[in-house]
Amino acid sequence: MAKSPLTRAKQITATVALILAIAYALRGIWKEQIIWQWIYASLTGNSQQVAESWNMVDRLVAAVPSNNVVLRFDGFNPNKPKDVIDIQQFYVRGSYWLYPRRLYFAEDGAIIRTGRDVLEAKFDPTVGWIRAHDAQGLLRMVLSPESQVSFHFDSLPEEQQSR
Amino acid sequence: MMLIASFIYVLIILLLGSVLTLFLTGSRRRPLVEVLGLIFLLGAGAMPTILTWHSLFGIGPSRLTVALIALASIMVLINMRRWVAARLPLLPAKPADWREGFLGGALIVTIGLVNLIVLINTLGVPLVEWDSFAIWGLKAKVLFHSPLNPRPPFFTDVRMTYSHLDYPLLTPMLVAGGYAMIGQVEEQIGRIGLPLIFMGQTLLAYVGMRMWMNRIPALGMTLVLMGCPYIVFLAPMGIADVPLSGFLLGGIVYLLKWVQSRDTCDALICAACLSFAAQTKSEGLALMAIIMLIVAIITVMRRTWKTLGACALLIVLCVGPWLIWSMGVPHLNENYHSQLTIPNIIKNTGRLSVILPALVNHIIDIELWGVLWFMLVLMAIMGFRAIMRPEGIVLWSLIILHLGLYTVIYVVTPWNVAELINASMARLLIHLAPTVALLTAVHWGAMQEQNQEQLPG
């Protein structure tokens, strides 16, 4: 039984469309370089390189000689998107990395949705607050007028710790 | 040692999935691919659900809790060995000629490679994507370190609002179970449970396509869905969108099977998958409600009250405990229920001029979706008759309600709508991808029937 031209045309169109769809999906995966970078890193045992930008934060918070870490931001402007993103990346990644130890970047009860909330809250903990939150000092992330970011850890004085 | 422990975790998930599959598939014999898909998907959904129950009773995930689940599963399987025997052998696949065999083999290998990519990147890549650690990875750590009862301070610490304290916990609990088995937080091997959902979704996608397509087109369409570049990129990252899409696919496939078969078992599998979806993301809860509304309408029309009751009971059992617990968590981010007021919607209708063009732009982005959506449009034209069939009506209704839901969310959101669209729309469309693929298959089937009707004689 011969198929009608319309039937044949539909059949061919559908088949070609499906082949194209498959080809496009495979092309998309092939072109998505990050997928292959990840595979290469996974298979060669270099997976930590993939997270290099985050590893800097991880190493920094891990090196702080304190149980919990209290963090204050100096020199950052809540109205500058870059400043907001910079501090956001630090406290969000740091909080993840440290847990179950805690990274405190705002007063208890402050609702933090974005880095802007953190900067607008102007967190400036007292020695008593730091001690009450089981931390041994204050980590400061400082943005200089020359746009250089530096980190400083101020330990609590001995007598205040023992008090 | 960690690899062995994670492998045992996978085996226990599959064991649990086998028990559930046995319970929920009833007396009907089913094909191997369907049984395997159910074992993967139900197991990966049930394990975190049970771990959540334990956690609500004050027992966090541990080797002991996972071992108890394994022991219970083995005892059930031993007691039900007659049931197992009655379902064996599984339905054999129809024999294929050499051309079909060759093409099918090539497609199966390619689909397998896509799954392998997801598996390798899950086990090989640490959490680098923002939401993967800020929201899901952090919660997995919290769930690993402390049970949900008493409520860990994390869940009431509003400083952590950025982490969406009220988000459902299925995905992080699945990962926390992995951490418990290996005895420590190891974010790569600990995510071993996630590829099981992807594999289950792949198998059940094929099962769904096969309802309306022949073997080769069904395999092709499965590849088009599971090989969407954006899905392959995100699946290993431990964020909840891809698992949600997997559970939704399971729910929709068995909704459609139930529409055709009227078998309560299919409705129960649908309800189980949807209850897992509801525990995966807040959108899953809303979508579960939409799909269960469709189930309710059909049961009212068919007067099959027992089916509706059984589905409702299953959902309440799975979702209820977490839902009650989550009432005590601050809802400070979206809190869309309180935003959903008629005055608020009317006030923000101007946003539609931003939302609708963005939606279209995302849908036609072939870098993200390949030509998945174009396929739907083409097949809807060529197999237009399916629009009036029950499965066509159900799936088109779902797509419209699904898109409508997300449009309303963007209309009422307290966030900057343009920023929110940039951050979330592509992910929201992942949830819709299974429905789009299944609908394409439905229209394909209608086109084939139209073609046969047009044959002379």
Side-chain angles (χ1 to χ4, degrees), chain B residues 136-431:
Chain B
W136 307 109
L138 181 56
K139 288 201 179 64
K141 275 186 154 186
V142 175
L143 296 174
F144 168 63
H145 284 291
S146 34
L148 291 169
N149 184 19
R151 194 185 302 275
F154 168 85
F155 285 105
T156 47
D157 185 346
V158 291
R159 269 176 297 229
M160 312 305 280
T161 300
Y162 71 83
S163 181
H164 297 264
L165 300 168
D166 54 345
Y167 270 13
L169 300 174
L170 187 138
T171 312
M173 189 58 97
L174 182 62
V175 177
Y179 292 162
M181 277 303 284
I182 59 182
Q184 66 185 76
V185 173
E186 211 293 324
E187 60 184 36
Q188 286 152 248
I189 297 175
R191 304 206 305 274
I192 186 81
L194 295 174
L196 298 181
I197 302 178
F198 193 82
M199 289 172 197
Q201 183 180 3
T202 307
L203 293 164
L204 290 186
Y206 173 71
V207 170
M209 309 299 173
R210 275 297 268 142
M211 291 165 72
W212 300 282
M213 292 172 127
N214 291 328
R215 187 179 295 159
I216 300 298
L219 282 169
M221 205 56 218
T222 303
L223 180 56
V224 171
L225 172 65
M226 302 312 296
C228 272
Y230 192 52
I231 294 179
V232 178
F233 161 69
L234 271 189
M237 272 297 100
I239 64 165
D241 296 276
V242 181
L244 173 62
S245 134
F247 292 127
L248 280 178
L249 177 119
I252 294 167
V253 165
Y254 280 90
L255 169 71
L256 297 170
K257 275 185 174 284
W258 174 66
V259 168
Q260 287 185 349
S261 70
R262 299 185 175 220
D263 183 348
T264 304
C265 293
D266 288 335
L268 283 172
I269 297 173
C270 166
C273 290
L274 292 178
S275 69
F276 298 147
Q279 294 175 78
T280 304
K281 275 203 93 180
S282 307
E283 294 91 331
L285 196 60
L287 293 168
M288 179 189 77
I290 289 174
I291 297 173
M292 285 315 294
L293 182 70
I294 294 173
V295 172
I297 291 169
I298 298 172
T299 48
V300 168
M301 284 161 59
R302 291 179 178 172
R303 298 176 186 279
T304 48
W305 308 108
K306 278 184 186 169
T307 303
L308 186 61
C311 290
L313 187 68
L314 185 64
I315 286 173
V316 167
L317 195 68
C318 289
V319 186
W322 164 76
L323 210 54
I324 293 167
W325 177 88
S326 71
M327 284 173 185
V329 176
H331 299 275
L332 294 167
N333 269 307
E334 293 88 359
N335 196 9
Y336 287 116
H337 334 107
S338 66
Q339 306 282 341
L340 270 176
T341 59
I342 300 290
N344 201 17
I345 292 174
I346 293 170
K347 190 182 85 183
N348 292 328
T349 44
R351 289 181 176 183
L352 286 174
S353 61
V354 178
I355 299 165
L356 296 178
L359 189 63
V360 173
N361 281 337
H362 275 81
I363 283 173
I364 62 174
D365 187 342
I366 55 174
E367 299 298 323
L368 294 179
W369 308 112
V371 290
L372 181 67
W373 286 83
F374 292 103
M375 275 292 286
L376 173 60
V377 174
L378 182 70
M379 295 317 304
I381 294 168
M382 295 206 297
F384 61 91
R385 280 191 199 174
I387 290 178
M388 296 313 295
R389 293 184 183 165
E391 56 270 28
I393 294 170
V394 166
L395 287 174
W396 275 112
S397 309
L398 270 179
I399 287 195
I400 291 165
L401 289 169
H402 202 141
L403 285 174
L405 172 75
Y406 289 161
T407 305
V408 170
I409 286 174
Y410 285 122
V411 166
V412 300
T413 183
W415 298 87
N416 177 314
V417 70
E419 282 178 18
L420 187 65
I421 284 173
N422 270 339
S424 65
M425 190 173 271
R427 286 187 193 178
L428 295 184
L429 289 176
I430 288 180
H431 314 158

Side-chain angles (χ1 to χ4, degrees), chain A residues 49-87:
Chain A
Q49 278 182 358
V50 174
E52 194 49 51
S53 57
W54 298 122
N55 288 348
M56 272 168 37
V57 179
D58 302 343
R59 280 194 294 266
L60 225 149
V61 290
V64 175
S66 179
N67 186 21
N68 294 325
V69 176
V70 179
L71 175 64
R72 194 179 79 193
F73 300 102
D74 294 341
F76 292 87
N77 183 343
N79 296 315
K80 285 189 181 171
K82 187 182 178 305
D83 287 11
V84 169
I85 289 170
D86 282 351
I87 66 134

Side-chain angles (χ1 to χ4, degrees), chain A residues 146-160:
Chain A
E146 295 78 33
S147 299
Q148 295 294 312
V149 175
S150 57
F151 293 88
H152 308 269
F153 182 71
D154 306 327
S155 299
L156 290 184
E158 278 300 315
E159 68 268 26
Q160 285 182 327

Side-chain angles (χ1 to χ4, degrees), chain A residues 1-2 7 10-11 17 21 24 29 38-39 42 47 51 54 92-93 95-97 99-100 102 106 108 110 112-113, chain B residues 121 124-125 127-128 133-134 141 145 157-159 161-162 187-188 227 233 332 366 371 378 448 450-451 454 456:
Chain A
M1 266 188 297
T7 307
K10 274 186 181 178
Q11 196 74 50
Y24 251 100
I29 296 175
W38 285 355
I39 287 188
S42 304
S47 58
W54 298 122
V92 170
R93 180 68 188 192
S95 295
Y96 165 70
W97 187 254
Y99 197 91
R102 297 296 308 271
D108 304 334
I112 303 297
R113 294 188 182 93
Chain B
N121 283 345
V125 178
L127 296 181
V128 289
F133 58 81
K141 275 186 154 186
H145 284 291
D157 185 346
V158 291
R159 269 176 297 229
T161 300
Y162 71 83
E187 60 184 36
Q188 286 152 248
F233 161 69
L332 294 167
I366 55 174
V371 290
L378 182 70
Q448 298 284 36
Q450 281 168 228
N451 286 352
Q454 281 170 15

